[in-house]
Amino acid sequence: MAYLNENYLKLKAGYLFPEIARRVKLFCDGNPEAAQRLIRCGIGDVTEPLPEAACRAIHRAVDEMGKRETFRGYGPEQGYEFLRTAIAANDYESRGIDVTPDEIFVSDGSKCDSANFLDVLGSKNKIAVMDPVYPVYVDTNVMVGNTGDANGTGQYPGLVYLPCTAENGFVPEIPAEAVDIIYLCYPNNPTGAVATREQLTAWVEYARRHRAIILYDAAYVAYVRDADVPLSIYEIEGARECAVEFRSFSKNGGFTGTRCAFTVVPKDLNGYTESGEAVSLHRLWGRRMSTKFNGVSYPIQRGAESLYSPEGKLQVQTLVDHYMGNAEILVNGAKAAGLTVFGGVNAPYIWIRTPDGLGSWEVFDRILNQANVVITPGAGFGGGGEGYFRISAFNSRANAEEVARRLKELKW
Amino acid sequence: MAYLNENYLKLKAGYLFPEIARRVKLFCDGNPEAAQRLIRCGIGDVTEPLPEAACRAIHRAVDEMGKRETFRGYGPEQGYEFLRTAIAANDYESRGIDVTPDEIFVSDGSKCDSANFLDVLGSKNKIAVMDPVYPVYVDTNVMVGNTGDANGTGQYPGLVYLPCTAENGFVPEIPAEAVDIIYLCYPNNPTGAVATREQLTAWVEYARRHRAIILYDAAYVAYVRDADVPLSIYEIEGARECAVEFRSFSKNGGFTGTRCAFTVVPKDLNGYTESGEAVSLHRLWGRRMSTKFNGVSYPIQRGAESLYSPEGKLQVQTLVDHYMGNAEILVNGAKAAGLTVFGGVNAPYIWIRTPDGLGSWEVFDRILNQANVVITPGAGFGGGGEGYFRISAFNSRANAEEVARRLKELKW
């Protein structure tokens, strides 16, 4: 009898975004006219076209694939050296950060990487997540059996939830207890918060003291505007011994449908056997990737490489400026509507307190019905997100302006 | 203290192909002249250019991505409907096989899918693999803890090895004991064998009797030439209740560097909880993919779709004919060299008995040194592969002819 992984049965009905899609479809089917003016600010998906540099690079690579002399079959599972070298030079070396090309693993997404990294970790770790939290961190821990059944508030025993509140600026306090794995995401999804150098330094010190590992998700780093906000966990002394960093081309180069990302696993990073023996996680992750992955499509890797060319950098900057322009409009619109607003300054997400103590799914339904705008209910990011909702700045300028206008007209 | 997954420490030094690459590099570094005439018939990687239809489709899709009106962000995690519909219509419905588009999950590789499918299976299954075996099936079971430590012969306790020998035509006997998961791969990598309808029927009956699941890897199905060989496990009555099928565009469309594949999980397929409750694996796999995967790059899915167009089908047929022409040349060359040869008729792999009882890594080194040809040692596929080696037909015609010539000149 083929047994299934019963941990999957602990998962709640749907991953957040499919659930939003379901409610939106239901609304649109019942309200075909309102559906015409629907604006989606829910899922954090880019809307602007792929940078010209990337299109050109992919075209060139496809032409290579069409000729025998330049055709490429299986590539290196870790990613082509041309891309890993460009990443190391531009994202790290140019900022004086010590990350080498062979510490970079190219993949098809940060969601995949953050999920898959659990493959090389053991089952006895105490796992800490921020609350609110990007649901993938939680769900993938449920799937591998790192939790019990969800309790009444939707939290899973076995996870340590680190409260991120308006009071702590959505950067959690260092826990009193020892944890082994800590997920940190800055700029944060969903709150749009960033962590200061001092805050990250405290986390790195904590992790080193406990031989813990920080899984640092920096997928939104391109949106940081304040010069003193760290762009990489490796700007912090000692982080090479305790941190993995996830980065993506989804949100800077608009690659959400094109698919390319990377993960940094420093050679100084160890995991431990139960008997206390240190083992290189770089080696284990390399083994994982060569056994369970076949590398990213060659033309797509050329597209990602092009984002580091002079024209590519300019085009990325234009994209980021566009979305951050939207963010400013949305922040101002929400404030003008009398709402209490966070984020939107170093991140493409605006995090808004629900008015009158309304529940966040209630606000979701109300904004969908009244304003025909799709937002993301904070509760979708866990208990700590209740009482908030997220507006994404990924949109056309016209839509951002229209959403700001409609927010002001909402009746609560 | 961050614990690692100690199962990884049970894995032997390297996955087969990196080990081959290491030996080849060592040889080439030491013999720069011989390196000039090196011909690779080791890893089963295509050599001919990407079909024109696919190049054109990808170009078109990249152009769409470059325009705001036609840009696409996140796609459905399960794959675009246009591709799933084309697959269902051409690979299944046209042959009278009942597989619907929503039972198809598009991915970036069959290696990934066969590895990842363990995510939704429990830890108490008795797993059977063919011997010799594609190493990924074994290594990924080691990684998730389904085995003990390797024994002296390199086999892992906890796995049931099904001997595939010249005597049984490399199709294993149905085991006397009950197993829960069975990996079958036809046309077979590495032996090139195919299973008859009667043999597959016996496996399906066995699986249904034991409520077991067959993980059916049909990555090489495009190479089947005999009309009576089943192309899909779902040609067998009852297979929808007991089988998952993995297929790939790597070997028909030459997508090894372009990356696209798919997995069929029928809605009739259940896994079981320990208390015996049946649960849809289609639902679990869908949850797995939407949580841990973000879909295949849109332009690449358009490329895959194009392989089902009339011109795409012709171009795929030309590719397959080319490689099977190589296979015939290699089979004849090896036979003329006095070797005992299997496969190469319905598969792009030729499986050859080592002469004089030589070990297969010994033969690997000898052929590398004497003939400057890279083959794959049978032992790399497990104990049952010892005494054999594999030659891949993925090459240019000139190289296939040259390898056939060099085989005849080998001194044993």
Side-chain angles (χ1 to χ4, degrees):
Chain A
M1 189 163 80
Y3 297 105
L4 57 87
N5 177 354
E6 296 193 32
N7 295 308
Y8 273 62
L9 307 181
K10 300 174 189 166
L11 292 166
K12 281 167 294 171
Y15 175 62
L16 170 60
F17 295 110
E19 171 60 19
I20 290 179
R22 196 188 63 77
R23 290 196 188 210
V24 171
K25 185 172 186 307
L26 208 66
F27 172 77
C28 289
D29 289 350
N31 302 275
E33 258 179 61
Q36 295 294 319
R37 60 193 295 271
L38 192 80
I39 300 180
R40 294 173 192 272
C41 299
I43 188 167
D45 193 4
V46 296
T47 57
E48 300 305 293
L50 206 61
E52 213 183 303
C55 291
R56 271 218 298 278
I58 301 175
H59 278 309
R60 266 196 307 271
V62 172
D63 287 338
E64 288 178 48
M65 296 295 261
K67 297 194 195 78
R68 184 174 288 100
E69 308 70 44
T70 49
F71 175 77
R72 301 203 190 206
Y74 290 119
E77 288 93 348
Q78 191 174 344
Y80 276 102
E81 194 159 340
F82 63 76
L83 178 53
R84 292 186 286 109
T85 303
I87 293 167
N90 288 279
D91 287 332
Y92 298 105
E93 287 157 28
S94 71
R95 302 181 53 84
I97 304 171
D98 178 19
V99 167
T100 56
D102 60 352
E103 295 176 321
I104 292 164
F105 294 80
V106 176
S107 81
D108 63 336
S110 282
K111 183 169 97 168
C112 321
D113 283 350
S114 70
N116 291 334
F117 204 80
L118 291 174
D119 281 6
V120 298
L121 298 178
S123 58
K124 303 228 163 143
N125 291 304
K126 187 168 273 188
I127 314 266
V129 294
M130 301 164 76
D131 182 25
V133 61
Y134 177 49
V136 167
Y137 308 151
V138 172
D139 287 359
T140 54
N141 272 287
V142 174
M143 287 169 168
V144 299
N146 284 342
T147 75
D149 284 308
N151 63 24
T153 68
Q155 292 198 333
Y156 289 94
L159 295 183
V160 175
Y161 290 83
L162 307 172
C164 300
T165 62
E167 289 64 41
N168 63 23
F170 304 102
V171 179
E173 327 292 344
I174 302 280
E177 63 195 309
V179 302
D180 307 306
I181 308 291
I182 307 121
Y183 289 83
L184 293 180
C185 171
Y186 290 108
N188 188 257
N189 175 13
T191 68
V194 288
T196 65
R197 192 169 305 275
E198 293 63 40
Q199 287 168 323
L200 289 184
T201 301
W203 274 109
V204 167
E205 279 169 8
Y206 171 87
R208 292 177 73 190
R209 195 160 64 243
H210 293 285
R211 292 194 284 180
I213 291 175
I214 296 169
L215 299 178
Y216 193 76
D217 187 343
Y220 295 94
V221 69
Y223 295 87
V224 171
R225 306 226 131 180
D226 292 350
D228 54 349
V229 170
L231 301 186
S232 165
I233 187 74
Y234 304 117
E235 291 186 31
I236 310 301
E237 172 94 30
R240 284 180 54 84
E241 291 165 34
C242 67
V244 169
E245 183 164 290
F246 304 108
R247 293 227 191 164
S248 170
F249 299 104
S250 284
K251 308 300 163 87
N252 60 351
F255 267 46
T256 54
T258 306
R259 313 299 322 141
C260 199
F262 63 92
T263 288
V264 180
V265 186
K267 293 194 173 170
D268 302 351
L269 181 73
N270 289 321
Y272 295 88
T273 64
E274 285 183 37
S275 62
E277 187 200 348
V279 178
S280 161
L281 282 178
H282 180 276
R283 177 162 75 82
L284 260 54
W285 184 245
R287 189 59 152 85
R288 192 265 169 215
M289 292 303 265
S290 66
T291 306
K292 297 181 69 170
F293 187 59
N294 257 322
V296 170
S297 182
Y298 167 66
I300 305 305
Q301 292 194 56
R302 283 292 186 198
E305 179 196 25
S306 79
L307 302 177
Y308 294 105
S309 68
E311 58 160 340
K313 284 179 186 174
L314 276 175
Q315 290 162 13
V316 165
Q317 197 51 55
T318 304
L319 278 177
V320 169
D321 288 346
H322 166 81
Y323 294 125
M324 289 310 288
N326 289 350
E328 197 180 337
I329 289 163
L330 290 163
V331 164
N332 291 339
K335 283 181 178 169
L339 296 163
T340 306
V341 181
F342 305 91
V345 176
N346 290 298
Y349 293 127
I350 297 101
W351 187 241
I352 304 178
R353 191 171 277 156
T354 62
D356 309 326
L358 286 172
S360 63
W361 277 110
E362 202 174 349
V363 166
F364 173 89
D365 290 331
R366 200 178 287 202
I367 297 182
L368 179 60
N369 278 279
Q370 272 191 44
N372 310 138
V373 170
V374 183
I375 55 90
T376 310
F381 301 100
E386 187 48 278
Y388 291 90
F389 64 99
R390 188 190 80 175
I391 299 185
S392 157
F394 292 115
N395 229 316
S396 67
R397 182 56 45 90
N399 275 350
E401 285 166 350
E402 177 65 13
V403 170
R405 203 184 58 72
R406 292 189 199 169
L407 281 179
K408 286 179 252 177
E409 288 178 356
L410 273 172
K411 288 179 195 66
W412 294 105
Chain B
M1 189 162 81
Y3 296 105
L4 56 86
N5 177 354
E6 296 193 31
N7 295 308
Y8 272 62
L9 307 182
K10 299 174 189 167
L11 292 166
K12 282 168 293 169
Y15 175 61
L16 171 61
F17 295 109
E19 171 59 20
I20 290 178
R22 197 189 62 78
R23 291 196 187 209
V24 171
K25 185 172 186 307
L26 208 66
F27 172 77
C28 290
D29 288 351
N31 302 275
E33 260 178 60
Q36 295 295 318
R37 61 193 293 272
L38 191 80
I39 300 178
R40 293 173 192 273
C41 299
I43 187 167
D45 193 4
V46 297
T47 58
E48 300 306 293
L50 206 62
E52 214 182 303
C55 291
R56 270 219 298 278
I58 301 174
H59 278 310
R60 265 197 307 271
V62 172
D63 286 338
E64 288 177 47
M65 296 295 261
K67 296 194 197 79
R68 182 174 289 101
E69 307 70 47
T70 49
F71 174 78
R72 300 201 190 207
Y74 290 119
E77 289 93 349
Q78 191 174 344
Y80 276 103
E81 194 158 342
F82 63 76
L83 177 54
R84 292 185 287 108
T85 303
I87 292 168
N90 289 279
D91 287 333
Y92 298 105
E93 287 157 28
S94 71
R95 302 180 53 84
I97 303 171
D98 177 19
V99 166
T100 55
D102 61 352
E103 295 177 320
I104 292 164
F105 295 80
V106 176
S107 82
D108 64 335
S110 283
K111 184 169 95 169
C112 321
D113 282 350
S114 70
N116 291 335
F117 205 79
L118 291 175
D119 282 7
V120 297
L121 298 178
S123 58
K124 303 227 164 145
N125 291 305
K126 186 168 275 189
I127 314 267
V129 294
M130 301 164 75
D131 183 24
V133 61
Y134 177 49
V136 166
Y137 308 151
V138 172
D139 287 0
T140 53
N141 272 288
V142 174
M143 287 170 166
V144 298
N146 284 343
T147 75
D149 285 309
N151 65 22
T153 68
Q155 292 198 335
Y156 289 94
L159 295 184
V160 175
Y161 291 83
L162 307 172
C164 300
T165 62
E167 289 64 41
N168 63 23
F170 302 102
V171 180
E173 327 293 343
I174 302 282
E177 64 196 308
V179 302
D180 307 305
I181 308 291
I182 307 120
Y183 289 84
L184 293 180
C185 172
Y186 290 107
N188 188 256
N189 175 12
T191 68
V194 288
T196 64
R197 193 168 304 275
E198 292 64 39
Q199 287 167 323
L200 289 184
T201 301
W203 274 109
V204 167
E205 278 169 8
Y206 171 88
R208 292 178 73 190
R209 195 160 61 244
H210 293 285
R211 291 195 285 178
I213 292 175
I214 296 170
L215 300 177
Y216 193 76
D217 186 344
Y220 295 93
V221 70
Y223 294 87
V224 171
R225 307 226 133 182
D226 292 349
D228 54 350
V229 170
L231 301 186
S232 164
I233 188 74
Y234 304 117
E235 291 185 31
I236 311 300
E237 171 94 29
R240 284 180 54 85
E241 289 166 34
C242 67
V244 170
E245 182 163 290
F246 304 108
R247 293 229 190 163
S248 169
F249 300 105
S250 284
K251 308 300 163 86
N252 61 349
F255 267 45
T256 55
T258 306
R259 314 298 321 140
C260 198
F262 64 91
T263 288
V264 180
V265 186
K267 293 193 172 170
D268 302 350
L269 181 72
N270 289 322
Y272 294 87
T273 64
E274 287 184 36
S275 62
E277 188 201 346
V279 178
S280 161
L281 282 178
H282 180 275
R283 178 163 74 83
L284 261 53
W285 183 246
R287 190 59 153 85
R288 191 267 170 212
M289 293 304 264
S290 66
T291 306
K292 298 182 71 170
F293 187 58
N294 257 322
V296 169
S297 182
Y298 168 66
I300 304 305
Q301 291 194 57
R302 283 291 187 199
E305 179 196 25
S306 78
L307 301 178
Y308 294 105
S309 68
E311 58 159 340
K313 284 180 185 172
L314 275 175
Q315 290 163 12
V316 165
Q317 197 50 56
T318 304
L319 278 177
V320 168
D321 288 346
H322 166 81
Y323 294 125
M324 290 310 288
N326 288 349
E328 195 179 340
I329 288 163
L330 289 163
V331 164
N332 291 338
K335 284 182 177 168
L339 295 163
T340 306
V341 181
F342 304 92
V345 176
N346 290 300
Y349 293 128
I350 296 103
W351 187 241
I352 304 178
R353 191 171 275 157
T354 62
D356 310 326
L358 287 170
S360 65
W361 276 108
E362 203 174 348
V363 165
F364 174 89
D365 289 332
R366 200 178 285 202
I367 297 182
L368 179 60
N369 278 278
Q370 273 191 44
N372 310 138
V373 170
V374 183
I375 55 90
T376 310
F381 300 100
E386 187 49 278
Y388 291 89
F389 63 99
R390 188 189 81 175
I391 300 185
S392 155
F394 292 115
N395 229 316
S396 66
R397 182 55 46 89
N399 275 350
E401 284 166 351
E402 177 64 14
V403 169
R405 204 184 57 70
R406 291 188 200 170
L407 281 179
K408 287 180 250 177
E409 286 178 356
L410 273 173
K411 287 179 196 67
W412 294 103

